Amino acid sequence: MTASIALVDDDRNILTSVSIALQAEGFVTRVYSDGETALKALIDNPPDLAIFDIKMPRMDGLELLRRLREKSALPVIFLTSKDDELDEALGLAMGADDYITKPFSQRLLIARIRAILRRAELAQPSAPGADAAPAPVDILERGRLAMDPARHRVTWGGKPVTLTVTEFLILETLAQRPGIVKNRNQLMDAAYQDDIYVDDRTIDSHIKRVRRKFRQVDPEFDAIETLYGAGYRYSDD
């Protein structure tokens, strides 16, 4: 079934260009120019995923997400006009699934959409009366770390840690083989699909964010090691 995507942004150029790009990939799109207009439609007739700009008049993306989460667990990606870590952190804590900073590659946005939709599909319970046995839950456990790829859940010592899809994929790649060094190109390949190019600093920034999030629940977190000139590795000692 074709997935439907709702776009909420006060920038008409972004609404038009992103909508065209998504339709070319086979998605059905709906567009809204402000949060107030979008809120009722998202609750009454929810799409498969929504993309919100954070900075909007009348009702910004954060308030739209707050009100939406009172009624719905709809997957949401935030668009941010700048690298505003406060907005990003607040949005993720409120239940956003990922964020992308403007200006962004439409191919990157589409890759993130597909990744989130795949995880949302895997997390859906089986239909009532289905004969098939439930699929086994494949949890990755490394020391105090537990990762549930199907449900995009991460815990450290039993405490939840909220990661974006990109951060999750980078950490998963490191944790799958503890002690093995992964260079930046390998981490790029794991986190970015469809030959999307990102520079080394992007991976370094993601690692920095992952560490910071884990240190919010454990100030002594040091499981991700930097090997200067080589890359990163996960240690479960």
Side-chain angles (χ1 to χ4, degrees):
M1 184 179 295
T2 301
S4 59
I5 311 295
L7 308 173
V8 189
D9 198 312
D10 62 321
D11 187 326
R12 290 286 183 181
N13 291 329
I14 288 180
L15 285 179
T16 300
S17 61
V18 173
S19 181
I20 290 173
L22 293 179
Q23 290 172 14
E25 293 293 322
F27 295 107
V28 173
T29 61
R30 313 176 202 164
V31 298
Y32 306 93
S33 59
D34 66 83
E36 285 188 358
T37 303
L39 180 60
K40 187 175 187 301
L42 294 176
I43 292 173
D44 291 346
N45 186 21
D48 295 293
L49 181 144
I51 301 169
F52 299 167
D53 185 27
I54 287 186
K55 307 296 185 184
M56 293 187 293
R58 297 178 64 186
M59 181 188 296
D60 65 21
L62 294 172
E63 178 63 13
L64 175 57
L65 178 63
R66 185 188 69 79
R67 296 194 187 186
L68 181 66
R69 282 292 174 259
E70 294 175 353
K71 304 282 187 179
S72 170
L74 174 72
V76 171
I77 296 175
F78 268 137
L79 300 181
T80 63
S81 58
K82 59 183 178 179
D83 193 13
D84 190 331
E85 294 186 0
L86 178 60
D87 282 349
E88 292 162 3
L90 182 55
L92 292 171
M94 292 168 60
D97 296 86
D98 209 340
Y99 62 85
I100 295 179
T101 303
K102 299 178 184 179
F104 55 88
S105 158
Q106 290 183 348
R107 291 175 63 198
L108 172 59
L109 176 60
I110 290 166
R112 296 300 89 192
I113 289 171
R114 293 195 187 280
I116 291 171
L117 289 176
R118 281 197 300 270
R119 294 182 187 280
E121 182 178 2
L122 289 170
Q124 290 293 326
S126 299
D131 295 331
V137 178
D138 188 11
I139 305 296
L140 176 65
E141 294 182 305
R142 297 288 185 266
R144 302 180 67 190
L145 174 70
M147 303 185 73
D148 182 348
R151 294 169 178 79
H152 191 69
R153 293 175 183 165
V154 182
T155 60
W156 179 260
K159 298 178 180 179
V161 180
T162 302
L163 300 181
T164 69
V165 171
T166 304
E167 293 163 352
F168 188 100
L169 292 171
I170 290 173
L171 178 60
E172 183 181 34
T173 301
L174 291 170
Q176 283 173 339
R177 301 190 67 189
I180 302 299
V181 179
K182 296 288 185 178
N183 62 40
R184 291 171 177 83
N185 287 333
Q186 291 171 314
L187 296 177
M188 288 178 199
D189 290 343
Y192 294 90
Q193 302 173 1
D194 300 327
D195 299 322
I196 296 167
Y197 173 77
V198 295
D199 61 30
D200 289 354
R201 289 173 298 177
T202 301
I203 295 298
D204 294 341
S205 295
H206 284 307
I207 294 289
K208 179 181 177 181
R209 292 172 191 269
V210 170
R211 284 174 171 151
R212 183 173 64 245
K213 289 177 179 182
F214 275 87
R215 286 171 182 162
Q216 288 174 349
V217 300
D218 178 6
E220 303 301 318
F221 174 83
D222 61 355
I224 300 176
E225 301 179 11
T226 302
L227 285 86
Y228 293 98
Y232 299 93
R233 70 181 173 197
Y234 182 86
S235 172
D236 60 356
D237 295 338

